[in-house]
Every structure is written in structure tokens, then in C-alpha cells.
Amino acid sequence: MNIYITMTGFSDWAIFNSLWAVVRLRQYIPDRIYIFTTKKRRRQAELAKRRFIILLKEYGKKPNIVISEVPKADFVTSGWRINDVVKKEKSLGNKIAIEVTPGRKAMVAGALVPSIQGKVDHVFYLYLEDVDYADNLFLRIPLTVQHSHDFMEEIKFAGK
């Protein structure tokens, strides 16, 4: 199974667009999604969940989506909770992707620990050259100003 771990942040569109980019540009279609959020961003996580279901239905998937609250600005707790999910899913033989685009720095820092330890298959990041497009739907943003990265793949490629 493909597992996708993401997190909420400032933009409602960043969380959705980053998944859309991964599906469309990287052909990584998740079977299970974990959305890590703070209490303040819970509404954003619920909105993302509804959007994810609609998007992935078009790709023939009905994903299991889990929303998990973590304390605000607590990278240690966030890291442990994300690491627990990674360990559990890896033990089942699943591929793991972490999406860092929408997340706040404290949560992203905690999420990157499993990738540093080699437990993660993909670390995705959707870079926008022009933040004026940040609150737009993925297909309304010119592809020339958005760049999909998989840091794990790029590190492997650079090491060869």
C-alpha cells in the first residue's frame, strides 16, 4: 500500500495542491492518508479530507484518511507521532511518503526525522516560484512556476 503523510499549515490550497501534484506528476496514489494538524487547524484538515476523497475517487481510490491532532509548535511530539505511524506502516511492508509542503516548520522538522533515519521512501515538496499563486487551485497555477520535488529520490540521484 502507498501511505501519504501530510500536515496542515497556513494555506487550505497547499495541502490539497501538493497531493494533486504528487498524484498527477509523480504517479504516487495513496491508499491511506494521515493528516497531522493542530487543534486550531482542525477545520482545514477536515476540508482537506473531503477534497482528497473527491480527487482520489477520480483515480479509482477510496483512501482511508486519518486525522491526528498534535500540540502546536511541538516538534518533538509531532516527530514521535509521525515516527510511530511510519514504523507501523513500514512493518506492514507499505511504501511511505511524507509531504512537507503545507506544514509549519515545527511539524515539518519532526516529520523529517524518519526520513533521515531511512524509514521513508519519499519526501515530497511542491515549490512555487511565485507565492502570488499560493491560494489557487493546482491546475490554475502555471506548471512553469511550480516544481514537484522528491527529496529522497534527488538525494539518491545526486549520490550516484
Side-chain angles (χ1 to χ4, degrees):
M1 288 179 53
N2 286 340
I3 308 303
Y4 184 81
I5 299 169
T6 190
M7 52 214 73
T8 56
F10 287 117
S11 170
D12 288 345
W13 286 114
I15 190 170
F16 180 67
N17 286 345
S18 55
L19 174 61
W20 200 349
V22 164
V23 167
R24 188 172 171 126
L25 303 175
R26 301 277 175 179
Q27 291 76 49
Y28 187 89
I29 304 171
D31 299 289
R32 185 172 308 134
I33 298 173
Y34 293 89
I35 303 172
F36 285 87
T37 189
T38 60
K39 185 176 183 177
K40 181 179 179 180
R41 301 275 179 209
R42 180 70 188 218
R43 182 203 62 77
Q44 184 186 62
E46 296 290 346
L47 176 62
K49 180 178 178 176
R50 289 192 302 274
R51 288 176 175 168
F52 288 173
I53 290 168
I54 293 167
L55 173 67
L56 294 174
K57 182 179 179 185
E58 295 300 315
Y59 290 88
K61 295 281 184 171
K62 186 176 181 185
N64 175 15
I65 302 175
V66 178
I67 297 174
S68 182
E69 281 188 27
V70 293
K72 179 181 176 183
D74 183 347
F75 79 93
V76 174
T77 301
S78 299
W80 281 115
R81 296 273 299 282
I82 293 168
N83 193 46
D84 288 345
V85 167
V86 170
K87 284 194 312 192
K88 178 184 91 173
E89 293 294 348
K90 247 332 183 195
S91 74
L92 298 171
N94 296 326
K95 286 192 170 203
I96 313 292
I98 294 180
E99 173 63 66
V100 298
T101 305
R104 302 285 310 270
K105 285 179 181 60
M107 210 177 305
V108 168
L112 289 176
V113 172
S115 67
I116 293 166
Q117 297 171 338
K119 299 175 187 173
V120 173
D121 301 286
H122 306 280
V123 176
F124 292 121
Y125 175 64
L126 183 61
Y127 171 68
L128 288 181
E129 286 181 22
D130 187 344
V131 293
D132 289 341
Y133 289 105
D135 286 328
N136 286 287
L137 192 60
F138 174 70
L139 292 179
R140 293 182 155 246
I141 303 170
L143 289 175
T144 56
V145 300
Q146 51 183 334
H147 308 280
S148 176
H149 292 276
D150 179 349
F151 293 146
M152 297 305 283
E153 183 179 290
E154 291 174 25
I155 288 168
K156 288 177 192 171
F157 181 74
K160 292 184 178 182

